[in-house]
Amino acid sequence: MPTLVLVRHAKADTPLGLQDIARPLTERGRADAVAAGRWLADHVAAPDLLVTSPARRTEETTARLLDAWGVEPAVVDEERVYEASLGDLLRLVRGLDADRPDAVVVLVGHNPGLSDLLEALTGEVQQLRTAGIAVCDVAGAWADADSTSCVLRTVHTARA
């Protein structure tokens, strides 16, 4: 059974004059992203595919997750994840085509989109906090992913 892991980026800074997409992680955010990576390495198989928003804060979070896993899966910077609507994220998930039936796909993005996606896929209402992780089992084809085919396995908020 495939696994979909949703990860909200860690705590980001808001420097004056910097565009939103260029916001870096704070010191706490960097530490929390490391903690998220350790938790994932202990609880979830290494990913086959990691899809991330092109925002700096998601890319910095992604790097720390991968360091902890110690793997180099295919990583895709996906424009649709930045400022994504629920419809954008559903189309992205339903368009996944993992080769293995037990594939692990990680999506690193932003709220409110990720929390909305989690609810749409599982029927569970959860607000992912920064460095929040939701692990979902996908029973069936990616193209059919919806609230009747995805089960929320666990939610975790990583803190250093």
Side-chain angles (χ1 to χ4, degrees):
M1 168 177 315
T3 300
L4 176 64
V5 181
L6 304 178
V7 180
R8 182 175 174 198
H9 65 78
K11 179 86 174 142
D13 200 356
T14 54
L16 290 176
L18 200 59
Q19 291 185 346
D20 181 70
I21 199 165
R23 291 173 48 212
L25 294 180
T26 62
E27 184 177 330
R28 184 191 111 193
R30 290 188 295 273
D32 289 349
V34 169
R38 285 188 192 129
W39 187 89
L40 284 166
D42 289 342
H43 294 89
V44 179
D48 299 288
L49 172 65
L50 193 144
V51 180
T52 183
S53 159
R56 180 175 173 186
R57 59 194 177 273
T58 55
E59 291 178 341
E60 289 180 7
T61 300
T62 295
R64 285 160 177 82
L65 300 179
L66 293 176
D67 284 347
W69 257 311
V71 296
E72 292 186 29
V75 176
V76 176
D77 271 351
E78 177 57 61
E79 294 285 335
R80 292 180 294 171
V81 178
Y82 182 68
E83 297 184 341
S85 68
L86 173 59
D88 294 332
L89 293 173
L90 282 170
R91 281 187 291 282
L92 187 139
V93 169
R94 291 176 180 154
L96 292 171
D97 184 22
D99 294 334
R100 297 180 26 221
D102 61 344
V104 176
V105 176
V106 178
L107 175 59
V108 183
H110 313 268
N111 258 358
L114 285 184
S115 291
D116 292 346
L117 178 63
L118 179 60
E119 182 178 354
L121 293 177
T122 66
E124 301 274 344
V125 177
Q126 296 279 336
Q127 286 301 312
L128 293 175
R129 297 172 58 197
T130 56
I133 301 164
V135 182
C136 306
D137 295 320
V138 182
W142 290 106
D144 301 324
D146 65 19
S147 63
T148 62
S149 66
C150 297
V151 176
L152 179 60
R153 187 186 318 163
T154 190
V155 175
H156 176 74
T157 300
R159 293 293 181 251

